[in-house]
Amino acid sequence: MKRRTAIRTLEILAGLALLLLVLDRVFPLPPAPRYSPIVLAADGTVLHAYLNPTQKWRMKTELSEITPVLRQTIIEKEDRWFRWHFGVNPLALVQAAGRNVFGQGRTTGASTITMQVARLLEPKPRTLGNKLLEMARATQLEAHYSKDEILQLYLNLVPYGGNVEGVKSAALLYFQQPPNFLSLAQTVTLAIIPNRPRGLVLGQNNEAVRRERNRWLRRFGDAGLFAKQDIADALLEPLNVRRHAAPMLAPHLARRLVRQFPHEAIIRSSLQRAKQSRAEELTGNYVRRLHELGISQASVLVVNNRTRRVEAYVGSADFRDFRGQGQNDGVVAVRSPGSTLKPFLYALALDRGLVTPKLQLPDVPTNFQGYRPENFDKHCQGEVTLERALAFSLNIPAVRVLQNYGVPAFTEKLQQAGFQSIARNRTQLGLSSILGGCGATLEELTGLYAALANGGEYAALGLTADSLLPGASRSASPPNPLSEKGEGGLDSISSSNSRKKASSPSLLERGLGGEAPRALTSPAAAFLVTDILSQLTRPDLPLGAARSTRLPKIAWKTGTSYGRRDAWSIGYNRDYTIGVWVGNFSGQGSPALTGSDVATPLLFDLFNALAYNSPNDWFVPPASLDFRLVCTQTGLVPGENCPDQVIDYFLPGQSSGLRCQHQREVLVSADGAFTYCRACAPAAGFRRELYPNLLPDVAAYRVAQGLPYRRLPPHNPQCQRASGGPERAPTITSPTPNTEYVLSAHEQQQLLLSCTTDSEVRQVYWYVNDQFLRAAAATERVFFRPPPGPLKISCADDHGRNTDVLVTVSEL
């Protein structure tokens, strides 16, 4: 009989359990509350907060923010037996029923904290039926969640009047502190308001709130909940509060992260709160001084070189400046980078052995197959060392180096460095890309310079930093109850009683960088470029900055886009890389808009403010670098005729070992009237002399500028064999091959003929469609009126060498 009764009892219990499981599936828990997205700084403080989709301030309180004081206060006030019941307190129900029926004592509903959570999740009129449903939901909640998680839900949903819900929202909006930073008096204040959110309104009737707070403080003191001295101090604490605006630091990054992680209630960024606040202040104040120059915006990015995390992110000078389009994010806007890519190109060329710091590069007017770049000041210097070309940001040498290195190889490296616009358009880019003829963002450029600061090793910049929070081990962190899912349902994580589910790290936890670092340049090339960029003898040093005692020790490079629409200045030391863009989001240019005059002063201010106490150590040459003597005239390894030499860095095994031939031995007649080649040299009556061995375009530039230049005498007119080969034939610099020229018949426009020749050439002969046009000096510019249609332009020198180009002429 007893056995049958036991079996029957087990069957009934099993049936009830099955029924409860079916009911749990048929009537699932209500959807998760929609939290206000908040973006935190690396230290966990709130940088920026948004209203939730229902236009309420409901910021999610994490378990770690629920202090023992807050927990004790809420449980003592709302549900003393919270830890012991299963969602419903039967004794409290009986007591409440007795009071309500017999009218003895205060009328009460005996709601537990869990029942209040059920009511807050599904607000309904207070009827007996709804109360029973509320009790069922409370039991269901207890089956799914731990007590701590239910308390967390309660603190996230309690009302504080108006559109403020949750203890964290109230703490930040009224006390400007998170819940775990509140005093005892402030904590009790927030504990008493939810029962009377309309009668006890902070900021409106603070005196009434203070009296009610003190009443509860005394009750807590009588109950022995807190030490007597703590209660006494709390009673004396004034209550002068008002509602403050929600935190609004880093609005551009906050919006970017919220869009990227739309279902995250709390996003931990990598920003340092003090640095972000200071960067915003400096940028806003600086741009206000530029308004009279027609400049309205600036963007700043501060990167920690050791972690590759962004520590300050300023998308515009003023997010609320609608006239200046301040809501645009200048950090990710694609703009012309000006000259800011030159250091990276030179580093790549150093690695390939094409150049060394003291190698002389031609800086003369050059036609690169139709592309004729000019220096910023419209002047040329003839020949300059690479270090001077970079320090003075000369355009023509940079284009020549890019031509030698190769545009496809250069754009491939930029693609590896995360330049998305260049990756999309790389097949359409040409030599102009090194002067800003491509698109780049401040984030991409700053990441590239951070790679130079890290020995040429590139890693994507990180914008999130969960791992930087104190003690933020993901395995040890408490679960987040009721986390928002894509469908908006409640997460089914259960209590700590072996019911919790393990979850893999999300993209947010891994950060936005993620991929492994890659080497773009060698440490040696990165150091050489850094060494050049840290020099102070350069034209882009702001006026008067050299005498300033607050000039930071950094390597930096400026850039100015065509039309003076964008001004850049990007600098770095061992600790930080800071990128600055200044301009107008409308794209309107300004005569004052240059990198050196407008962007660099802000860069220096930022370094002095944000990295003033950085260690004073500087970059040291890597072991892979070595020294050698080079000729001062060319920067090449000295040859037989190189008396003047200087020490230069080089990369063993990479740098070219080509010997200098800046002078060549020539056979000259006794009277110096002409030269001989090996074929026509007489047996006697000549002498050997050294003459400059210049590139043809450099020689032509010196002649055109009237610079001192010892030219070769003409070749022996009696020579029966033309010297040299087709590789030394004249180079036609105008017109450009395979180009259509449209000339105005009304204005009688003419076509320019010009060329560069070997140094010994004195005269050239021009032909049009194989018909002789005229003879001219080698450096002379010839103009003529061409007939419409296809033209063959030919140029022959006085050594019999010839070059042809084909063009088309049309008339308007």
Side-chain angles (χ1 to χ4, degrees):
M1 186 68 180
K2 291 182 179 180
R3 183 178 179 184
R4 187 179 302 167
T5 302
I7 293 174
R8 184 64 176 170
T9 303
L10 290 175
E11 289 177 346
I12 293 173
L13 292 175
L16 287 173
L18 181 61
L19 177 63
L20 290 174
L21 287 174
V22 171
L23 290 174
D24 187 62
R25 292 294 182 90
V26 174
F27 302 102
L29 288 170
R34 303 296 300 273
Y35 291 109
S36 299
I38 58 175
V39 178
L40 307 183
D43 61 0
T45 59
V46 179
L47 287 173
H48 203 97
Y50 292 92
L51 290 165
N52 76 351
T54 60
Q55 299 302 299
K56 292 182 179 180
W57 291 112
R58 186 192 291 147
M59 305 177 200
K60 187 174 183 180
T61 306
E62 297 183 284
L63 284 173
S64 59
E65 296 177 302
I66 303 175
T67 62
V69 172
L70 179 58
R71 184 181 293 108
Q72 290 175 295
T73 302
I74 292 295
I75 292 176
E76 177 69 19
K77 181 179 179 298
E78 297 293 334
D79 188 0
R80 194 175 294 182
W81 302 101
F82 174 68
R83 294 290 181 186
W84 307 101
H85 61 67
F86 204 71
V88 179
N89 188 342
L91 181 59
L93 283 175
V94 172
Q95 292 175 345
R99 293 193 191 100
N100 295 338
V101 170
F102 298 106
Q104 296 180 356
R106 182 172 58 89
T107 302
T108 177
S111 291
T112 63
I113 289 177
T114 313
M115 291 170 64
Q116 292 184 60
V117 170
R119 184 168 64 250
L120 291 169
L121 286 172
E122 293 180 298
K124 289 182 174 64
R126 295 197 177 189
T127 64
L128 179 59
N130 288 338
K131 177 64 71 172
L132 294 174
L133 179 61
E134 186 180 299
M135 294 165 62
R137 283 294 194 198
T139 306
Q140 189 179 16
L141 283 168
E142 292 278 352
H144 280 267
Y145 297 102
S146 69
K147 290 292 186 179
D148 285 341
E149 293 166 352
I150 292 172
L151 181 62
Q152 180 187 10
L153 263 177
Y154 173 79
L155 292 173
N156 280 324
L157 294 171
V158 289
Y160 282 91
N163 66 340
V164 181
E165 292 185 0
V167 69
K168 187 169 187 173
S169 301
L172 286 172
L173 294 177
Y174 288 106
F175 296 111
Q176 297 185 292
Q177 296 284 355
N180 50 330
F181 280 79
L182 298 179
S183 66
L184 174 59
Q186 292 169 335
T187 301
V188 173
T189 300
L190 295 185
I192 66 173
I193 291 178
N195 293 125
R196 297 170 56 191
R198 295 182 181 178
L200 299 176
V201 180
L202 283 171
Q204 294 184 15
N205 46 1
N206 287 338
E207 183 56 29
V209 176
R210 188 188 66 81
R211 288 195 299 268
E212 184 68 7
R213 178 202 73 183
N214 288 351
R215 187 174 72 84
W216 277 99
L217 279 170
R218 293 187 185 96
R219 289 184 60 176
F220 293 148
D222 294 340
L225 201 63
F226 306 111
K228 291 183 178 180
Q229 187 58 50
D230 293 341
I231 294 292
D233 293 340
L235 288 170
L236 296 176
E237 186 172 313
L239 185 63
N240 299 315
V241 297
R242 60 179 179 84
R243 180 165 171 175
H244 299 271
M248 291 188 63
L249 278 176
H252 295 89
L253 178 63
R255 183 173 60 179
R256 176 176 173 181
L257 292 178
V258 167
R259 286 176 175 174
Q260 184 153 5
F261 305 108
H263 303 300
E264 295 286 346
I266 300 174
I267 304 171
R268 289 172 171 83
S269 77
S270 59
L271 300 188
Q272 299 290 331
R273 186 181 188 87
K275 289 185 174 65
Q276 177 67 29
S277 179
R278 187 68 174 131
E280 288 188 15
E281 179 186 4
L282 284 172
T283 305
N285 291 340
Y286 183 74
V287 169
R288 276 191 285 272
R289 301 197 299 267
L290 299 178
H291 273 293
E292 62 184 17
L293 301 177
I295 302 169
S296 62
Q297 287 297 347
S299 302
V300 169
L301 201 64
V302 179
V303 175
N304 186 311
N305 290 334
R306 290 174 170 81
T307 65
R308 304 297 178 93
R309 301 284 179 175
V310 174
E311 295 191 350
Y313 187 116
V314 183
S316 70
D318 185 356
F319 186 80
R320 294 162 294 186
D321 179 14
F322 294 98
R323 178 176 296 181
Q325 305 176 37
Q327 294 192 358
N328 289 350
D329 188 351
V331 172
V332 296
V334 178
R335 316 285 294 186
S336 167
S339 298
T340 55
L341 296 177
K342 290 176 183 174
F344 185 56
L345 170 64
Y346 286 132
L348 296 175
L350 284 162
D351 273 334
R352 191 180 284 187
L354 300 176
V355 294
T356 51
K358 297 196 183 303
L359 180 71
Q360 294 282 344
L361 301 173
D363 180 31
V364 296
T366 309
N367 185 344
F368 296 95
Q369 298 180 342
Y371 178 50
R372 296 182 178 89
E374 291 182 323
N375 291 326
F376 187 76
D377 61 0
K378 309 296 183 181
H379 293 91
C380 296
Q381 301 185 29
E383 285 184 298
V384 295
T385 62
L386 178 144
E387 57 188 5
R388 183 177 178 86
L390 177 54
F392 281 65
S393 196
L394 300 177
N395 292 339
I396 298 173
V399 174
R400 187 178 293 269
V401 171
L402 178 58
Q403 184 184 48
N404 294 335
Y405 186 83
V407 174
F410 180 59
T411 54
E412 181 181 358
K413 284 288 188 178
L414 290 174
Q415 183 176 356
Q416 294 175 13
F419 282 68
Q420 297 182 7
S421 177
I422 289 177
R424 289 191 299 267
N425 304 311
R426 56 178 301 195
T427 58
Q428 305 170 12
L429 298 178
L431 294 175
S432 64
S433 58
I434 194 58
L435 306 183
C438 57
T441 68
L442 180 62
E443 183 174 344
E444 293 165 350
L445 291 170
T446 307
L448 185 65
Y449 278 71
L452 293 176
N454 282 275
E457 187 177 79
Y458 170 80
L461 302 182
L463 299 177
T464 60
D466 280 13
S467 60
L468 298 182
L469 287 174
S473 169
R474 300 306 300 181
S475 60
S477 61
N480 293 324
L482 298 178
S483 61
E484 296 182 59
K485 296 292 185 181
E487 293 81 14
L490 293 181
D491 193 2
S492 59
I493 59 172
S494 48
S495 71
S496 56
N497 300 324
S498 72
R499 298 195 301 243
K500 294 188 175 110
K501 297 194 304 182
S503 59
S504 59
S506 65
L507 174 63
L508 178 60
E509 292 163 4
R510 292 195 300 268
L512 297 181
E515 67 261 24
R518 65 175 69 95
L520 296 179
T521 71
S522 68
F527 170 80
L528 291 177
V529 168
T530 300
D531 188 52
I532 296 170
L533 294 180
S534 60
Q535 297 176 9
L536 297 180
T537 306
R538 48 198 285 183
D540 60 351
L541 185 66
L543 186 64
R547 296 187 298 273
S548 173
T549 58
R550 288 179 56 82
L551 185 65
K553 173 66 173 177
I554 60 172
W556 87 96
K557 180 72 182 71
T558 62
T560 306
S561 68
Y562 179 77
R564 302 200 177 195
R565 295 182 175 91
D566 308 280
W568 306 85
S569 191
I570 307 173
Y572 57 91
N573 57 17
R574 292 184 66 88
D575 297 321
Y576 296 97
T577 299
I578 300 179
V580 172
W581 169 86
V582 180
N584 296 303
F585 287 145
S586 64
Q588 180 179 355
S590 169
L593 201 60
T594 64
S596 58
D597 295 333
V598 171
T600 300
L602 178 56
L603 177 74
F604 287 177
D605 288 345
L606 288 162
F607 264 106
N608 284 324
L610 305 181
Y612 187 72
N613 293 321
S614 295
N616 202 24
D617 57 335
W618 191 244
F619 300 91
V620 295
S624 55
L625 269 181
D626 206 345
F627 295 101
R628 69 181 180 186
L629 288 171
V630 297
C631 175
T632 58
Q633 298 296 317
T634 60
L636 298 174
V637 176
E640 297 179 355
N641 303 306
C642 297
D644 299 323
Q645 301 175 14
V646 67
I647 293 177
D648 189 19
Y649 279 113
F650 79 108
L651 281 68
Q654 297 292 331
S655 299
S656 171
L658 187 66
R659 291 197 170 271
C660 175
Q661 296 182 356
H662 78 279
Q663 294 190 95
R664 59 172 172 166
E665 188 179 76
V666 179
L667 305 180
V668 184
S669 61
D671 58 1
F674 48 85
T675 61
Y676 298 110
C677 64
R678 300 294 177 184
C680 67
F686 64 88
R687 63 179 186 271
R688 300 175 184 272
E689 291 189 10
L690 294 176
Y691 278 84
N693 185 24
L694 301 178
L695 292 173
D697 45 0
V698 175
Y701 172 77
R702 290 195 174 186
V703 172
Q705 296 295 316
L707 299 174
Y709 165 50
R710 189 183 181 208
R711 297 194 63 186
L712 275 175
H715 189 65
N716 177 18
Q718 304 300 322
C719 180
Q720 300 299 314
R721 179 179 177 184
S723 62
E727 70 277 1
R728 301 180 68 181
T731 300
I732 297 177
T733 57
S734 179
T736 303
N738 304 313
T739 302
E740 180 180 3
Y741 290 85
V742 181
L743 306 181
S744 171
H746 176 71
E747 297 179 4
Q748 294 293 307
Q749 289 181 321
Q750 295 182 310
L751 196 63
L752 168 66
L753 304 179
S754 63
C755 67
T756 59
T757 64
D758 202 4
S759 59
E760 61 191 26
V761 173
R762 288 293 183 272
Q763 197 168 41
V764 294
Y765 307 92
W766 291 99
Y767 297 82
V768 178
N769 290 336
D770 296 324
Q771 298 294 317
F772 177 71
L773 178 66
R774 57 165 289 191
T779 58
E780 185 179 350
R781 294 157 61 90
V782 175
F783 293 88
F784 82 106
R785 176 70 184 175
L791 296 182
K792 175 184 177 183
I793 307 294
S794 306
C795 181
D797 63 16
D798 52 14
H799 286 56
R801 297 167 294 200
N802 182 76
T803 302
D804 301 324
V805 298
L806 299 177
V807 298
T808 302
V809 174
S810 302
E811 284 190 347
L812 289 177

